[in-house]
Amino acid sequence: MKVKRLWTYPLLFGIIGALLGLILRYAYTGSFSGFPFKNVLHSHSHVMLLGFIFNALLVTVWSTFAIEIDKVTYRLFLILQGCVAIFLVAFILQGYAFYSILFSTIHLWVSYLLLIRLWRKLDPNNKQQNLIKLGIVFHFLSSLGPYMLGPLMAMEMQNSPWYQQAIFFYLHFQYFGVFLAWMLAVLFHKATINLNKVQLLVFTVSLGFLFTHSLDFSFNHWSIQLFGSLGALGLFGLLLRFVKQFSILKHSYKFLYLGILIIAFLNILGSTPVIANLVVESRFILIAWLHLIFLGIYTPFIWLSLPKKVHPILWFCYGFALLSSEIGLLFPQFINKWTTIPIMWFLFFSYLGIFLCICIVHVSTIFNLRKTNVIIKM
């Protein structure tokens, strides 16, 4: 099974997820009445997290390390796509209810089987693949969060801080666990970097400590900032050691690694009480942070991994639209003062630019893949 054929699924879900995000931005303008905002938000986040980024990083790992995809693995992958398609619709129609929970759970269980098969195919002598294994461990660890939701609901604790933290636990060890470990595995492979046991331990512990940043949303204790600071400093210090190795790579990977360093540095700032309180109190700042990670780091990394190169003009347009969105989220007063556009409409139009760039890149790549397949068959 050729890995290139699998790119269609994450790219298609990326378009759908981005469209749902655009609808949410439009809903923020107040143009909808009776709009099921939370339901669409759940669908958007699940599709972008699992349908787009998880799928795309998995395909990137397979292709980068030339890992064989047998028939069983391929069928498991297709089952995952079916689950994403079903809970995409189920979340919109019913929110967190029977069908959305059922197919999210099936997706999780099937992903276990898929990642166990991936682990077995990894080379035990390849140190770069240790990060892939670590990502798999984080995936199993993150799933403890969803498993806690049932008992918490049974104890009527769905309004308690622990219910929210169970969700945060899952999310953190996905985007600051599985996703980061797999992305760095690919980048370190390109830069021929091998982590030794101490560095791998520092990386693992740092990501674990960074979870304490999520505790800021529910608790207020000095130890949260302490462990968050240690995790942030450990991650930033480790990544800083490999700047020289990345300096010899293409400019696109240099900029990407710079972005990863910026994210790591912002985690240090986020460990201070002042910044932590700002993130907790402002939903706009939280969205800006999440979009910086997903749209500013993971999406560009995925685009660099595509079989078809992204045109420089598209990179420029995407960067401009993302920067505009981030400025609007972080400094809404500035937008209201210096423009005649209401902030919600400004955010909508900035995200419209992001959406159009995603559509162009993904659709053109899908058509290119189909064209390549036709030529091969002929």
Side-chain angles (χ1 to χ4, degrees):
M1 175 58 61
K2 293 189 175 181
V3 178
K4 283 186 178 181
R5 292 175 56 183
L6 303 181
W7 272 112
T8 301
Y9 299 101
L11 295 178
L12 183 59
F13 283 126
I15 294 172
I16 297 172
L19 176 60
L20 293 175
L22 185 65
I23 294 172
L24 289 170
R25 283 286 175 96
Y26 186 71
Y28 261 123
T29 65
S31 302
F32 283 145
S33 59
F35 179 71
F37 190 89
K38 282 189 176 181
N39 290 5
V40 177
L41 178 61
H42 290 320
S43 183
H44 164 70
S45 59
H46 279 78
V47 171
M48 292 302 282
L49 194 77
L50 300 175
F52 175 42
I53 297 179
F54 180 84
N55 273 342
L57 291 177
L58 188 57
V59 173
T60 302
V61 166
W62 275 332
S63 59
T64 301
F65 293 93
I67 298 170
E68 179 192 1
I69 302 175
D70 53 40
K71 289 184 178 180
V72 175
T73 299
Y74 177 62
R75 288 168 183 167
L76 290 173
F77 183 79
L78 290 183
I79 293 173
L80 291 185
Q81 311 320 304
C83 290
V84 173
I86 293 172
F87 66 59
L88 185 161
V89 177
F91 274 116
I92 295 175
L93 296 179
Q94 61 176 196
Y96 270 103
F98 178 76
Y99 289 106
S100 57
I101 294 174
L102 173 64
F103 285 96
S104 297
T105 304
I106 294 174
H107 184 282
L108 182 62
W109 289 347
V110 173
S111 71
Y112 288 164
L113 299 176
L114 188 67
L115 295 185
I116 289 172
R117 296 184 69 83
L118 171 60
W119 183 296
R120 290 174 177 174
K121 292 179 183 296
L122 295 175
D123 182 359
N125 298 317
N126 189 325
K127 291 185 178 180
Q128 292 167 350
Q129 294 185 7
N130 286 335
L131 283 174
I132 302 176
K133 292 180 179 179
L134 181 61
I136 295 172
V137 172
F138 277 134
H139 183 74
F140 279 82
L141 177 64
S142 70
S143 64
L144 294 177
Y147 289 141
M148 290 304 300
L149 297 180
L152 288 169
M153 290 179 69
M155 292 185 289
E156 298 182 352
M157 294 178 64
Q158 54 265 43
N159 295 321
S160 72
W162 297 109
Y163 190 89
Q164 186 182 43
Q165 288 303 319
I167 297 173
F168 287 165
F169 186 88
Y170 171 76
L171 292 174
H172 172 80
F173 285 108
Q174 284 291 319
Y175 65 77
F176 265 136
V178 185
F179 298 168
L180 185 60
W182 286 356
M183 180 177 67
L184 289 178
V186 174
L187 292 176
F188 285 179
H189 176 75
K190 293 182 180 297
T192 61
I193 296 171
N194 292 314
L195 294 182
N196 58 41
K197 291 182 179 180
V198 174
Q199 291 169 335
L200 190 63
L201 180 62
V202 169
F203 180 69
T204 305
V205 173
S206 296
L207 295 185
F209 281 178
L210 280 178
F211 170 68
T212 58
H213 283 172
S214 300
L215 296 175
D216 276 320
F217 288 86
S218 305
F219 308 102
N220 182 19
H221 195 271
W222 63 267
S223 60
I224 293 175
Q225 275 75 40
L226 173 62
F227 285 103
S229 300
L230 292 175
L233 288 169
L235 180 62
F236 182 72
L238 179 66
L239 295 176
L240 205 59
R241 291 176 60 90
F242 306 118
V243 171
K244 186 176 181 181
Q245 287 90 326
F246 275 91
S247 64
I248 62 174
L249 296 183
K250 295 179 181 178
H251 288 300
S252 53
Y253 287 105
K254 290 178 186 177
F255 284 121
L256 180 65
Y257 198 70
L258 175 62
I260 296 172
L261 284 172
I262 291 173
I263 292 292
F265 180 73
L266 290 177
N267 268 308
I268 297 176
L269 295 182
S271 302
T272 61
V274 175
I275 303 299
N277 291 335
L278 284 175
V279 177
V280 171
E281 294 168 2
S282 172
R283 185 172 180 82
F284 270 21
I285 294 178
L286 176 61
I287 295 173
W289 170 244
L290 293 175
H291 280 194
L292 181 63
I293 295 170
F294 289 111
L295 297 176
I297 298 297
Y298 290 128
T299 298
F301 170 74
I302 290 166
W303 286 4
L304 288 173
S305 305
L306 292 175
K308 183 179 182 295
K309 288 185 178 181
V310 178
H311 196 280
I313 293 178
L314 279 172
W315 279 115
F316 175 80
C317 292
Y318 180 79
F320 178 78
L322 179 59
L323 181 62
S324 299
S325 178
E326 292 292 295
I327 290 174
L329 289 167
L330 293 173
F331 308 106
Q333 298 87 355
F334 175 84
I335 301 301
N336 287 330
K337 182 178 180 180
W338 295 101
T339 69
T340 58
I341 305 174
I343 181 60
M344 293 306 180
W345 280 107
F346 179 88
L347 292 173
F348 170 76
F349 286 119
S350 62
Y351 192 80
L352 176 62
I354 295 172
F355 171 72
L356 291 175
C357 290
I358 289 175
C359 284
I360 294 171
V361 172
H362 290 201
V363 170
S364 62
T365 304
I366 290 172
F367 276 107
N368 181 263
L369 290 170
R370 288 182 174 273
K371 183 179 178 181
T372 304
N373 288 334
V374 170
I375 294 173
I376 291 172
K377 288 180 181 178
M378 291 175 63

